[in-house]
Amino acid sequence: MTARPVILCVDDEVRSLQTLERTLDEEFDVLCASSAEEALTLLESNVVQAILCDQRMPGKTGVELLTEVRERWPEPARLILSGYTDSDDIIRGLNDAGILQYITKPWHPDNLLMILRNACQMYQLQSENDQLNLEMKLSEVQASTRVKQKRARLQQSFQLDQIKRAESSPLNDICEQAAQIAPYDISVLVTGPSGAGKELFARALHYNSLRKDKPFVVENCGAMPDELLASELFGHKKGSFTGAISDHIGLFEQADGGTIFLDEIGEITPAFQVKLLRVLQEREVRRLGEHQRRKVDVRIVASTNRDLREEVKAGRFRQDLYYRLAEVTLELPALAQRPMDVPLLAENFLAHAMRDFDKPVTGFSGEAMAAMQQYNWPGNVRELQNEVRRVLVLAKGEYLTADLLSPAIQQTETRTETQEIDLLDGLDGSLKERVEALEQRILKATLARHHWNKSRAAKELGLSRVGLRSKLERYGMERADPASESTQTNEHTE
């Protein structure tokens, strides 16, 4: 049996330690220390994968402790847990202690578990990398070949045809548009609800562009103080602010020649919007604390779950910055708008989860898959992935059955049956007359969903374009303006 990861929790409050231990002990082996000295003693005799440390403690602070840990035991992932959000503490933690994440109190158990899982996975990957470095020294040709192979595999994994979707999925048009714009150095704004796959499309844009052999860097702009965000993006000089103990190269410089992905761009403050706009206009950055400006050549891909056009109208987002970021906009639909993709995504997530957990199963039962297709997935693709992993862990048989699904998903079947009954309400007359009336309703709903684009509606319904037009004429549903469809098509593809 594989040994469980070991987490060291450090907090001077006994109740806080007990709460952390109860939350984590089902998945990790937990060591507890109520002081910095006790934590150092435990580290001398135990191998740990991650350290979760309170910031405000008597004696040494969390940052001071983790700074010492970084010097003596650099391998474990280091995380700060604090009820305070002082930017100086955060900056010192990043620079001095090399912390992986700054977690604020009160914390959510599921979120904390996810963060620690990722931290332990990073530790494992680093360990594997260190092992690889101990292998026989490769020749220059061998090393070059391996790098090319790894880069090719990475690029292949983000090809647009690798994005899981059905033949009638709304993502098909978006992927076609992404493939068309990817080769050109044009800024792209990817919009859509949280969990819809915005970063996936950002990476696809990069790896299908002429910059694919250059860096792709990511920065989440949400809920980060301006000074820290400026330091991360633009860099800083040693001594430019408290905690700046060395020079730092910003992400814009690191991404030179490649792509920078600015996630949650709608969250930045008006003051920072001005700084970012200047960088985009001048194509140069100035590190905090110095006067020299440095030219950068980067492609900008940004994302948000907000309607930035409405934010512009409300005066919360600069119009000139919006147009710099949104030369082209990709609007990703919610998973609820593409239920036909759910089976493909679920099967793909299940295959990955079976490898991760070393737990093979045959697959989903028909009832389980039907319930998942009917559910509206407010958390989108990310929620679906989590649900698949959860169901696999709970499964005892060879099939993942509907009774293992979350209660909200199980209740979907009842709601769907009611909706089907409502669909038949008001249908009178003979069977033929009722079937024709129902057919009209289906035609109308499908055309409305595709903004009266007849080619796409016909494809979804399994009809030829001529066959669809014949039915519309039969029921008197043809639009008066024969150019309307052409206009809709152009608007949709632009």
Side-chain angles (χ1 to χ4, degrees):
M1 182 176 178
T2 305
R4 300 200 308 174
V6 180
I7 306 295
L8 172 59
C9 298
V10 188
D11 198 317
D12 61 303
E13 295 183 8
V14 177
R15 289 185 178 179
S16 296
L17 275 180
Q18 292 172 343
T19 302
L20 286 169
E21 186 174 14
R22 284 196 301 270
T23 302
L24 304 178
D25 64 0
E26 290 187 5
E27 194 165 333
F28 305 98
D29 288 336
V30 183
L31 301 175
C32 295
S34 57
S35 67
E37 291 72 20
E38 186 178 351
L40 293 172
T41 301
L42 287 171
L43 285 168
E44 289 173 351
S45 55
N46 294 275
V47 176
V48 303
Q49 278 70 53
I51 304 170
L52 186 61
C53 183
D54 186 34
Q55 167 62 1
R56 302 291 177 90
M57 298 188 298
K60 291 183 179 179
T61 65
V63 169
E64 291 171 342
L65 169 61
L66 294 184
T67 300
E68 182 175 346
V69 168
R70 184 184 190 183
E71 295 174 355
R72 299 175 61 183
W73 300 282
E75 296 85 5
R78 298 171 292 279
L79 304 95
I80 286 289
L81 188 65
S82 178
Y84 304 88
T85 55
D86 180 57
S87 60
D88 287 344
D89 286 344
I90 299 175
I91 293 169
R92 279 197 300 273
L94 289 171
N95 293 330
D96 299 355
I99 64 169
L100 175 65
Q101 193 146 354
Y102 196 100
I103 307 167
T104 56
K105 297 179 180 179
W107 44 268
H108 190 281
D110 290 341
N111 187 47
L112 183 62
L113 284 168
M114 181 183 69
I115 291 171
L116 287 172
R117 285 190 208 107
N118 292 338
C120 291
Q121 184 178 17
M122 182 178 294
Y123 175 93
Q124 181 63 30
L125 290 172
Q126 183 62 47
S127 298
E128 292 175 2
N129 184 62
D130 292 342
Q131 285 294 111
L132 290 173
N133 290 335
L134 296 176
E135 292 180 353
M136 182 188 303
K137 185 177 180 181
L138 298 172
S139 69
E140 183 178 349
V141 174
Q142 289 174 313
S144 176
T145 301
R146 287 197 177 186
V147 168
K148 289 179 181 178
Q149 290 173 343
K150 288 182 178 180
R151 181 177 291 130
R153 287 196 297 269
L154 181 64
Q155 292 172 359
Q156 179 60 33
S157 66
F158 287 105
Q159 291 301 302
L160 289 159
D161 59 8
Q162 296 296 310
I163 296 177
K164 301 297 180 182
R165 60 193 190 275
E167 290 185 1
S168 58
S169 172
L171 284 187
N172 291 329
D173 292 333
I174 297 172
C175 288
E176 288 179 11
Q177 186 178 10
Q180 186 175 354
I181 64 177
Y184 299 97
D185 270 346
I186 190 169
S187 298
V188 181
L189 178 66
V190 186
T191 66
S194 296
K198 296 188 287 293
E199 183 172 340
L200 172 64
F201 272 86
R203 290 183 181 274
L205 286 168
H206 172 72
Y207 288 112
N208 286 273
S209 74
L210 300 178
R211 297 175 178 264
K212 60 185 178 183
D213 294 328
K214 297 298 183 179
F216 176 87
V217 301
V218 180
E219 181 59 63
N220 189 318
C221 302
M224 187 178 288
D226 283 3
E227 186 178 46
L228 182 57
L229 184 57
S231 172
E232 285 296 295
L233 291 179
F234 311 142
H236 64 250
K237 288 288 290 181
K238 177 180 178 180
S240 58
F241 53 83
T242 304
I245 60 173
S246 62
D247 290 351
H248 172 66
I249 300 175
L251 293 180
F252 269 92
E253 289 184 70
Q254 293 180 35
D256 191 32
T259 304
I260 186 167
F261 176 50
L262 302 177
D263 195 13
E264 302 295 349
I265 193 67
E267 307 299 323
I268 62 176
T269 65
F272 195 82
Q273 291 174 30
V274 177
K275 297 178 182 179
L276 181 60
L277 177 62
R278 180 174 180 82
V279 170
L280 300 187
Q281 288 175 334
E282 304 298 331
R283 296 284 179 175
E284 59 184 21
V285 296
R286 181 172 62 84
R287 297 179 187 176
L288 300 182
E290 74 173 18
H291 299 292
Q292 179 185 356
R293 296 188 179 276
R294 304 168 188 269
K295 288 289 185 181
V296 289
D297 173 26
V298 296
R299 182 185 192 178
I300 307 296
V301 179
S303 78
T304 181
N305 57 14
R306 299 190 179 205
D307 187 338
L308 286 192
R309 288 165 293 194
E310 291 300 321
E311 295 293 300
V312 169
K313 290 180 182 178
R316 293 186 291 267
F317 202 88
R318 292 182 63 94
Q319 186 179 56
D320 44 7
L321 178 58
Y322 169 75
Y323 287 117
R324 284 278 178 182
L325 296 169
E327 291 183 288
V328 174
T329 300
L330 293 180
E331 298 183 9
L332 303 189
L335 187 55
Q337 297 174 265
R338 47 190 186 104
M340 69 291 291
D341 292 340
V342 170
L344 288 172
L345 290 170
E347 294 291 351
N348 182 57
F349 292 145
L350 178 59
H352 286 285
M354 287 192 294
R355 288 197 296 269
D356 291 344
F357 300 143
D358 192 22
K359 184 177 181 179
V361 294
T362 302
F364 296 93
S365 70
E367 290 182 355
M369 186 60 75
M372 289 194 295
Q373 278 192 275
Q374 294 160 6
Y375 183 55
N376 62 4
W377 298 107
N380 293 291
V381 178
R382 191 177 297 124
E383 182 185 3
L384 173 60
Q385 182 180 23
N386 291 343
E387 182 67 19
V388 170
R389 292 169 65 86
R390 172 187 169 277
V391 170
L392 177 62
V393 169
L394 295 176
K396 296 180 180 179
E398 62 175 318
Y399 283 97
L400 306 183
T401 53
D403 60 297
L404 297 174
L405 296 170
S406 300
I409 303 176
Q410 292 185 41
Q411 294 167 7
T412 307
E413 185 174 0
T414 302
R415 292 195 299 270
T416 303
E417 290 174 355
T418 302
Q419 291 169 356
E420 289 174 351
I421 293 172
D422 291 342
L423 183 66
L424 300 175
D425 283 351
L427 297 182
D428 298 317
S430 66
L431 177 60
K432 179 181 179 182
E433 290 170 340
R434 294 185 188 190
V435 170
E436 289 178 346
L438 181 58
E439 187 175 46
Q440 290 183 59
R441 292 185 184 183
I442 294 172
L443 289 170
K444 185 176 181 180
T446 305
L447 285 165
R449 185 162 57 254
H450 290 285
H451 306 288
W452 278 79
N453 185 296
K454 293 173 187 171
S455 297
R456 292 172 191 155
K459 184 177 180 181
E460 179 180 328
L461 294 170
L463 299 171
S464 68
R465 202 168 180 281
V466 174
L468 175 61
R469 183 179 294 277
S470 175
K471 287 183 179 294
L472 295 181
E473 291 175 350
R474 175 184 174 187
Y475 295 125
M477 295 174 62
E478 273 285 3
R479 284 196 165 184
D481 180 9
S484 60
E485 182 183 348
S486 175
T487 301
Q488 290 286 352
T489 303
N490 291 337
E491 289 177 353
H492 190 80
T493 55
E494 283 180 357

